[in-house]
Amino acid sequence: MNGIQSICPQSVLSLEKQRVLVIGDCMLDAYLLGDSTRISPEAPVPVVRVECQRSVPGGAGNVARNIAALRGCVSLITIAGADREADILEEVLRGESIDAFLIRSNTRPTTLKTRVLARGQQMIRLDREVNDALSQQEEEALMRQVRESLPGNDVVILSDYGKGIVSASFMKKFTALLLKQNPVPKLLIDPKPVNAAYYSGAYIMTPNAKEAGECVGFPVRSSEEVKQAGKILLDRFSCPNMLITLGAEGMALFSEGGKSIQHLPTSARDVFDVTGAGDTVIAVLGLALASGMNLSQACLLANRAAGLVVAQVGAAVVSPEDLIRELERNFRPDSSVW
């Protein structure tokens, strides 16, 4: 690889209609928005007067949402409950132009995260979830849909939020299915350390610094620690490429089996909220690879997109127009070899 390359702003248009398949743990993110002007007489807690509410897809759903926002063609396969929340989730996914396949379970609820905000400030978050591994019947239903959806997708994203989809059994069957495709799709994995023993067959993995540290067993803060962790992870997962996201410090791309290490500083001018930034990174990376961009270009584009979403509050997405303007502002890459 010849380093991080420049990318033409208009190349963003090549992302349109590219196909990506997303598989993983999806959730419904519910927001109750209002104001708080008094303390409850029942307990020393604020009283929030709810004025409106909205629901958006989270987890793997947010990855798919980011792809759809850039006008890619995205299919999503996930597990949900046989409940009202699954109906809402399916509705909001289809409203985002996502081809959603929700495997309904009678034994587990749809993962629901409810955030209560007053004047833009989060007061509390309530989670309803079951993190147990899928039952045999649920896994079989999931694999049937994966088998049906895989053909025609050159890029597959596995978005693991540790809610039960990824297991040793799932990864064995999933990897075998991938290898039967011709050509074999590029597999991108957003990992969870709790499932680190199960991953295999990835083209690239995208842990953040905290996740990388949990996988290798030491804190990942300095550039030397990042380099050490990246090389360990490449070897541990037998993965040719690794992208460690570093928050305000940007990203570190390990390629060619660790022979090439590139640092991409963040392009964010302001950082208000890093929620969902990892979803944006893997979504843009996958879509760019599907469009034919090389890994260097795809990482550069993902870095720029992440810089835009962290300047917004909540799990945001980037439009093609936003990304083109960002690249036009300064499309010469700022990177260095580590």
Side-chain angles (χ1 to χ4, degrees), residues 242-257:
M242 187 75 52
L243 183 66
I244 301 180
T245 57
L246 306 172
E249 300 301 317
M251 305 176 181
L253 172 62
F254 297 75
S255 55
E256 300 177 11

Side-chain angles (χ1 to χ4, degrees), residues 138-321:
E138 290 165 349
E139 187 176 281
E140 288 174 354
L142 187 75
M143 295 311 302
R144 282 195 296 270
Q145 187 58 60
V146 172
R147 189 178 298 109
E148 183 178 324
S149 299
L150 263 179
N153 286 283
D154 294 330
V155 172
V156 178
I157 294 174
L158 179 60
S159 179
D160 185 8
Y161 270 79
K163 306 303 180 189
I165 285 182
V166 173
S167 65
S169 173
F170 169 82
M171 287 304 301
K172 182 179 179 180
K173 296 173 185 176
F174 178 51
T175 304
L177 275 180
L178 286 176
L179 293 175
K180 290 180 181 178
Q181 305 303 304
N182 186 19
V184 177
K186 287 184 172 69
L187 174 61
L188 285 60
I189 299 180
D190 189 0
K192 272 289 181 205
V194 67
N195 291 326
Y198 307 140
Y199 300 127
S200 64
Y203 170 74
I204 190 168
M205 299 177 69
T206 62
N208 59 35
K210 181 176 181 294
E211 291 164 341
E214 290 175 8
C215 286
V216 299
F218 57 82
V220 174
R221 293 183 291 253
S222 69
S223 61
E224 289 303 315
E225 289 168 341
V226 173
K227 287 188 281 187
Q228 184 181 358
K231 291 177 180 179
I232 292 172
L233 293 176
L234 286 171
D235 181 64
R236 181 170 300 173
F237 296 121
S238 299
C239 185
N241 307 294
M242 187 75 52
L243 183 66
I244 301 180
T245 57
L246 306 172
E249 300 301 317
M251 305 176 181
L253 172 62
F254 297 75
S255 55
E256 300 177 11
K259 295 178 183 177
S260 172
I261 308 174
Q262 295 277 345
H263 176 235
L264 288 73
T266 183
S267 61
R269 282 158 284 180
D270 298 294
V271 178
F272 291 113
D273 192 345
V274 298
T275 303
D279 296 336
T280 298
V281 168
I282 200 167
V284 177
L285 185 60
L287 194 56
L289 290 171
S291 76
M293 292 185 195
N294 62 41
L295 184 57
S296 289
Q297 293 170 324
C299 288
L300 172 61
L301 199 61
N303 191 44
R304 290 303 185 96
L308 290 173
V309 299
V310 298
Q312 304 177 58
V313 176
V317 295
V318 177
S319 71
E321 294 78 13

Side-chain angles (χ1 to χ4, degrees), residues 95-148:
E96 299 271 2
S97 300
I98 296 165
D99 194 12
F101 299 94
L102 274 63
I103 309 301
R104 301 292 186 108
S105 168
N106 291 315
T107 61
R108 58 200 301 139
T110 301
T111 300
L112 174 66
K113 295 188 176 183
T114 303
R115 296 169 175 86
V116 180
L117 288 84
R119 299 185 183 183
Q121 176 67 45
Q122 183 170 315
M123 310 299 286
I124 192 171
R125 192 182 90 181
L126 309 173
D127 289 4
R128 187 192 70 177
E129 61 187 17
V130 170
N131 299 337
D132 298 339
L134 304 184
S135 68
Q136 182 178 342
Q137 293 78 11
E138 290 165 349
E139 187 176 281
E140 288 174 354
L142 187 75
M143 295 311 302
R144 282 195 296 270
Q145 187 58 60
V146 172
R147 189 178 298 109
E148 183 178 324

Side-chain angles (χ1 to χ4, degrees), residues 55-74:
S55 298
V56 296
N62 191 45
V63 176
R65 181 172 169 246
N66 272 269
I67 295 170
L70 287 166
R71 303 188 188 126
C73 296
V74 57

Side-chain angles (χ1 to χ4, degrees), residues 16-129:
E16 187 171 350
K17 296 184 179 178
Q18 300 298 327
R19 294 184 61 181
V20 178
L21 175 63
V22 178
I23 303 164
D25 303 298
C26 193
M27 57 200 71
L28 183 66
D29 285 341
Y31 293 85
L32 303 178
L33 311 170
D35 197 3
S36 178
T37 58
R38 63 191 181 95
I39 300 298
S40 171
E42 302 165 0
V45 295
V47 174
V48 177
R49 179 168 51 86
V50 176
E51 298 170 348
C52 64
Q53 63 185 69
R54 63 185 179 95
S55 298
V56 296
N62 191 45
V63 176
R65 181 172 169 246
N66 272 269
I67 295 170
L70 287 166
R71 303 188 188 126
C73 296
V74 57
S75 298
L76 170 67
I77 303 174
T78 191
I79 292 285
D83 50 31
R84 172 59 179 157
E85 287 72 24
D87 296 336
I88 297 172
L89 178 58
E90 187 167 31
E91 181 180 345
V92 296
L93 286 167
R94 298 199 186 281
E96 299 271 2
S97 300
I98 296 165
D99 194 12
F101 299 94
L102 274 63
I103 309 301
R104 301 292 186 108
S105 168
N106 291 315
T107 61
R108 58 200 301 139
T110 301
T111 300
L112 174 66
K113 295 188 176 183
T114 303
R115 296 169 175 86
V116 180
L117 288 84
R119 299 185 183 183
Q121 176 67 45
Q122 183 170 315
M123 310 299 286
I124 192 171
R125 192 182 90 181
L126 309 173
D127 289 4
R128 187 192 70 177
E129 61 187 17

